[in-house]
Amino acid sequence: MTTEVSDKAVKCEARGHVLVATVDNPPVNALSHAVRSGLVDAVEQLEASPSLRALVIVCRGKTFIAGADLREFGKPLQEPRLGVVIDRLDRCGKPIVAALHGTALGGGLEVALACSYRVASPTARMGLPEVKLGLLPGSGGTVRLPRLIGVEAALTMISEGGQIDAGAARDQGLVDAMIEGDLTDGAVAFAEKVVSDGGSVRRVSDLPVPAFDPGILAAKRTELARKFKGFSAPQLAVDLIEAMTKTPFAEAAAHEYDVCKTLIASPQSRALRHLFAAEREALKIDGVTPETKPRDIAKVAVVGPGTMGRGITVCLLNAGLPVVLVGRDDETLSAGVEAIRRTFDSSVKRGSMQQADADARLARLTPTVDYAPLADCDLAIEAVTEDLGVKCEVFRRLEAALPERAIIATNTSFLDIEALADSISRPERVAGMHFFNPANIMKLLENVRGSRTSTDVLATTTALGKRLGKVPVMVGRSEGFVANRMLSKRSREAQFLLEDGASPQQVDRVLAGFGFPIGPFALADLAGIDVMCAARAARFARMTKREQECDIVDKLKAAGRLGQKNGAGYYRYGEDRKAQHDPAVDTILEAHRAQRGRDRRDISDQEILERCLYAMINEAARILDEGAAARPGDIDVIWTNGFGWPTYFGGPMFYADQIGLPKVKDALDHYSRLVGDEYFKPARLIERCVAEGRGFYG
Ligand code: COA
């Protein structure tokens, strides 16, 4: 017998004495209104029927309930709210069994915690990831989980938002039984056994708070302050756990709900939720429909065993793909292979990889100096020197060697993808895959669409990006694409600020204080002053006169200061590699200002922040206006995953909207007068938005 309860999101079916409530709310069975009311109805049906003795809650599709429905946030709350559903489950006079598979997360795990028993598929995972969205559990998670698995284990799960697998969950007492085979059948059998054993109800809310060492709270606060610098929710998690250990259950639960409600409205949570949605939205590519099938990628060629080629190769090998690595000559090729081997060796030494895994990855690598082994590759990524002529020649050789179906991708950072596509006969097979150094570590992948790239190629580079564990974002034709083009504006302002009177340590302090992991000058020292000089030389002809004359990096290089690698750059470095102020740099800067006739003035922290950030935001607006990025969210995803824009500020476009575009425009006008119109003239899109009274996001 199948009876629909209140809505098809939860279907109820009696199996003997056991009522089975199946949640069916694709894609992740989130706790939408229909699911919440369906669960309450299921409990009521159970209690109303004398013949029904237990309830099993199970989910269809790929996962158990993965949390609150994020799409309902910001809309008027429709009762019953989750806390009411959870109370109803908790108060039920008959046992309820939650049957977990996939990822039981957030409100999903809170539902399970309010049941008498939890059973799980061996592959199930559990977590309270709210903290990652700037939130904390608001429906009993912080008051029930510590009672069940202990204060310390719960504190870690709640304050860091990680997941545990079913095995660990069983060991910790979160899961009562593991179900091999069909989960519903297993859960029903479990429930029948509970009934035949007397049908006892077990309430987590009745359990005492287990004893714990109070010292773990302070230790966790210190650890979280380091790991999650700038984030509020992790610290609040410790406060909540501390409070629950001292307060009766109902009072602690009410307090938890109040904290969660406050967090939902907090700027950090809004920013983090925005990024969660933007990352998923970024996967939706204009022209790519659900019917567009990505091509199969079973074997990949990487051309160029330099720094980028090596990182890309490691990344592909890590994802299980066989790779043909093409070098110009034996010497560069074997240096590349050696470097790849060293990368795996250090993973083994660190304990993050087994030797057998490292061996298997290297066994999938075919180094070659000729193109013949490319005959069965599905994709080639060229990562040779940034020279159009050299790259076009590689493209022609790739076209001759690869099967016709294969995609030809370039890792160029600033060359014109159209010119590369023109060098071969079928430009629709050409795309950009712009990795960031170190390519095996950096999450961002700027996939580039040419004007003629076919949609299945776009779908393929996106799918491959996901498979490599990257955050792929599709961008269009534009010099430097999105990340580097915006970075170059920040770098320009950082240099100009030195000329105007700021010090490297002041600029770095301000930008690190904003939340970037590292300031621009410490970053330049890390990358190498010689590398900065080479990048400057490559752009020199396209620079303004002031930029050309602002040659501080060249002066550092001339003074033998190459950055961290030789212990001196913008800073001086001792054994501990910590950046120290170096008066010799002050002297170089003073001499530079005198040479350029620039008077030193005191620069405020506000001016540093605004010039660096607004120069980027202004450029981002141009990028958006030109269509080189499809939506503001793509730019936010790029900068939070690429160059460490603090996620709690949601990315540059979200941040600009929070500041308010009229205020941003006023500041741009001010710096146009102060620094120059060619650097700060507000982008047309900003002018338009201000005139129309809207932000980048409407
Ligand atoms: N509410 C509403 N929609 C959600 C959702 C939620 N809690 N979690 C995921 N979705 C949607 C995604 O937006 C995506 O929609 P789209 O296909 O229209 O873009 C779809 O479900 C699939 O999500 P995705 O993340 O792409 O799938 P995945 O298989 O890689 O990961 C999860 C699945 C559940 C692990 C992941 O989505 C996740 O971590 N969700 C958030 C869980 C959470 O934080 N819960 C607590 C909320 S307070």
Side-chain angles (χ1 to χ4, degrees):
M1 172 194 74
T2 302
T3 36
E4 293 225 338
V5 182
S6 65
D7 192 290
K8 64 181 168 48
V10 180
K11 294 192 186 84
C12 284
E13 176 200 7
R15 288 216 204 164
H17 294 305
V18 178
L19 182 68
V20 177
T22 305
V23 178
D24 184 9
N25 185 29
V28 296
N29 290 316
L31 285 155
S32 323
H33 173 248
V35 175
R36 297 195 304 272
S37 46
L39 287 174
V40 171
D41 289 349
V43 175
E44 276 166 9
Q45 188 174 335
L46 169 73
E47 288 191 324
S49 160
S51 66
L52 292 172
R53 309 275 300 277
L55 171 67
V56 164
I57 299 174
V58 67
C59 291
R60 277 196 67 178
K62 66 177 182 178
T63 184
F64 190 75
I65 301 164
D69 189 339
L70 294 168
R71 292 164 305 191
E72 289 185 358
F73 281 50
K75 296 185 184 155
L77 180 76
Q78 275 183 288
E79 291 293 349
R81 70 174 171 85
L82 183 56
V84 171
V85 179
I86 299 269
D87 269 357
R88 196 69 193 81
L89 294 167
D90 187 80
R91 281 188 291 106
C92 180
K94 297 178 185 178
I96 306 178
V97 179
L100 315 181
H101 78 291
T103 43
L105 300 177
L109 187 58
E110 289 179 305
V111 163
L113 286 166
C115 297
S116 285
Y117 303 91
R118 286 149 294 281
V119 300
S121 292
T123 52
R125 300 183 65 80
M126 284 127 244
L128 291 172
E130 286 86 345
V131 74
K132 294 187 173 169
L133 298 173
L135 300 169
L136 289 172
S139 304
T142 68
V143 285
R144 285 195 178 82
L145 192 64
R147 285 180 156 81
L148 202 56
I149 69 169
V151 175
E152 188 166 7
L155 179 62
T156 297
M157 268 177 83
I158 293 165
S159 64
E160 300 189 23
Q163 297 177 6
I164 58 170
D165 61 28
R170 189 188 43 196
D171 295 346
Q172 294 183 12
L174 176 53
V175 161
D176 300 291
M178 208 79 102
I179 306 287
E180 307 277 351
D182 186 85
L183 180 62
T184 309
D185 290 350
V188 169
F190 183 94
E192 278 166 351
K193 172 98 176 43
V194 169
V195 169
S196 63
D197 288 349
S200 70
V201 169
R202 293 191 322 182
R203 292 190 177 88
V204 178
S205 52
D206 287 341
L207 297 175
V209 176
F212 72 104
D213 166 11
I216 61 167
L217 298 170
K220 199 69 185 173
R221 283 200 174 92
T222 312
E223 181 192 339
L224 294 168
R226 185 174 41 79
K227 268 197 193 164
F228 302 101
K229 192 168 155 234
F231 291 84
S232 321
Q235 293 292 340
L236 286 172
V238 188
D239 295 350
L240 267 189
I241 300 287
E242 183 170 19
M244 72 75 64
T245 64
K246 297 176 178 164
T247 328
F249 184 89
E251 208 179 300
H255 175 55
E256 177 204 65
Y257 179 58
D258 288 342
V259 171
C260 179
K261 256 197 334 201
T262 313
L263 284 176
I264 287 178
S266 71
Q268 285 204 354
S269 177
R270 289 184 338 130
L272 291 163
R273 276 159 25 218
H274 153 70
L275 283 172
F276 179 87
E279 263 182 36
R280 280 147 189 83
E281 192 68 18
L283 299 172
K284 293 167 189 157
I285 314 293
D286 192 24
V288 174
T289 65
E291 288 71 46
T292 317
K293 205 175 151 326
R295 298 185 188 180
D296 286 336
I297 301 292
K299 189 173 180 183
V300 182
V302 175
V303 187
T307 307
M308 291 311 294
R310 294 165 193 180
I312 296 168
T313 302
V314 169
C315 183
L316 293 161
L317 292 171
N318 283 345
L321 284 155
V323 180
V324 179
L325 178 62
V326 188
R328 200 178 49 220
D329 51 50
D330 287 330
E331 203 181 323
T332 50
L333 187 61
S334 49
V337 172
E338 222 10 76
I340 291 166
R341 187 189 306 280
R342 278 199 305 275
T343 304
F344 290 132
D345 282 351
S346 66
S347 301
V348 172
K349 266 202 203 101
R350 272 201 319 275
S352 59
M353 193 183 286
Q354 299 288 323
Q355 186 62 51
D357 280 343
D359 293 344
R361 284 164 215 225
L362 279 168
R364 285 197 294 272
L365 178 64
T366 310
T368 172
V369 289
D370 72 65
Y371 282 61
L374 271 60
D376 61 347
C377 286
D378 305 300
L379 162 75
I381 305 172
E382 74 71 23
V384 300
T385 180
E386 283 286 278
D387 176 298
L388 189 62
V390 175
K391 283 194 192 284
C392 286
E393 178 54 27
V394 167
F395 262 48
R396 282 190 285 271
R397 293 189 71 181
L398 285 172
E399 184 172 44
L402 288 164
E404 249 194 37
R405 64 166 196 283
I407 296 168
I408 304 184
T410 171
N411 178 54
T412 185
S413 341
F414 62 86
L415 294 175
D416 185 3
I417 186 165
E418 299 300 326
L420 285 166
D422 283 340
S423 69
I424 60 167
S425 60
R426 291 185 44 220
E428 64 277 11
R429 72 198 295 203
V430 173
M433 293 185 80
H434 181 214
F435 291 79
F436 290 77
N437 189 19
N440 51 318
I441 292 174
M442 295 287 286
K443 295 284 275 179
L444 176 63
L445 174 65
E446 277 181 337
N447 279 329
V448 188
R449 67 188 305 157
S451 62
R452 292 158 290 179
T453 314
S454 69
T455 50
D456 66 331
V457 169
L458 300 176
T460 310
T461 55
T462 301
L464 181 62
K466 286 283 283 177
R467 186 170 163 195
L468 299 182
K470 304 285 177 202
V471 176
V473 184
M474 192 62 71
V475 300
R477 179 189 196 182
S478 156
E479 191 189 319
F481 307 119
V482 174
N484 284 332
R485 182 168 155 186
M486 287 168 65
L487 180 68
S488 72
K489 303 302 169 197
R490 189 184 81 174
S491 307
R492 179 201 73 210
E493 276 317 297
Q495 293 292 326
F496 284 4
L497 282 160
L498 294 188
E499 279 192 334
D500 292 345
S503 65
Q505 46 279 18
Q506 188 190 3
V507 175
D508 280 355
R509 175 179 52 73
V510 169
L511 290 175
F514 176 74
F516 285 106
I518 185 168
F521 296 111
L523 184 64
D525 277 355
L526 195 64
I529 298 297
D530 47 342
V531 175
M532 294 293 137
C533 289
R536 180 177 146 77
R539 289 191 54 245
F540 194 79
R542 296 185 301 284
M543 287 176 173
T544 63
K545 185 160 178 291
R546 180 172 175 189
E547 285 175 281
Q548 288 182 340
E549 288 179 357
C550 186
D551 57 357
I552 297 164
V553 272
D554 295 335
K555 288 176 170 135
L556 289 174
K557 187 178 164 209
R561 307 183 72 96
L562 300 184
Q564 269 205 28
K565 65 180 120 183
N566 75 345
Y570 285 100
Y571 297 93
R572 156 169 76 75
Y573 298 87
E575 290 282 283
D576 60 359
R577 292 178 135 204
K578 281 221 169 86
Q580 316 265 1
H581 169 224
D582 190 343
V585 174
D586 299 345
T587 311
I588 292 173
L589 291 175
E590 278 312 322
H592 174 81
R593 289 180 196 121
Q595 181 199 5
R596 298 289 172 221
R598 297 205 157 263
D599 291 334
R600 186 186 177 287
R601 63 181 171 86
D602 284 339
I603 311 263
S604 69
D605 289 358
Q606 182 186 350
E607 179 176 340
I608 291 175
L609 196 63
E610 288 181 348
R611 278 173 63 177
C612 289
L613 300 189
Y614 293 176
M616 290 166 58
I617 289 165
N618 206 26
E619 194 64 14
R622 290 200 184 95
I623 289 172
L624 207 51
D625 217 15
E626 289 166 18
R631 7 171 205 237
D634 290 3
I635 297 176
D636 286 341
V637 172
I638 286 175
W639 259 82
T640 45
N641 286 285
F643 292 131
W645 185 288
T647 52
Y648 51 73
F649 283 136
M653 310 312 268
F654 187 84
Y655 176 77
D657 270 10
Q658 301 309 299
I659 298 284
L661 290 190
K663 215 171 145 198
V664 173
K665 181 184 151 358
D666 286 348
L668 289 169
D669 286 334
H670 168 71
Y671 293 117
S672 284
R673 290 189 293 274
L674 188 74
V675 188
D677 211 34
E678 69 265 56
Y679 305 115
F680 279 104
K681 185 177 167 28
R684 281 198 318 253
L685 177 61
I686 293 184
E687 300 270 17
R688 267 201 323 272
C689 285
V690 171
E692 290 165 16
R694 63 181 178 96
F696 290 128
Y697 286 96

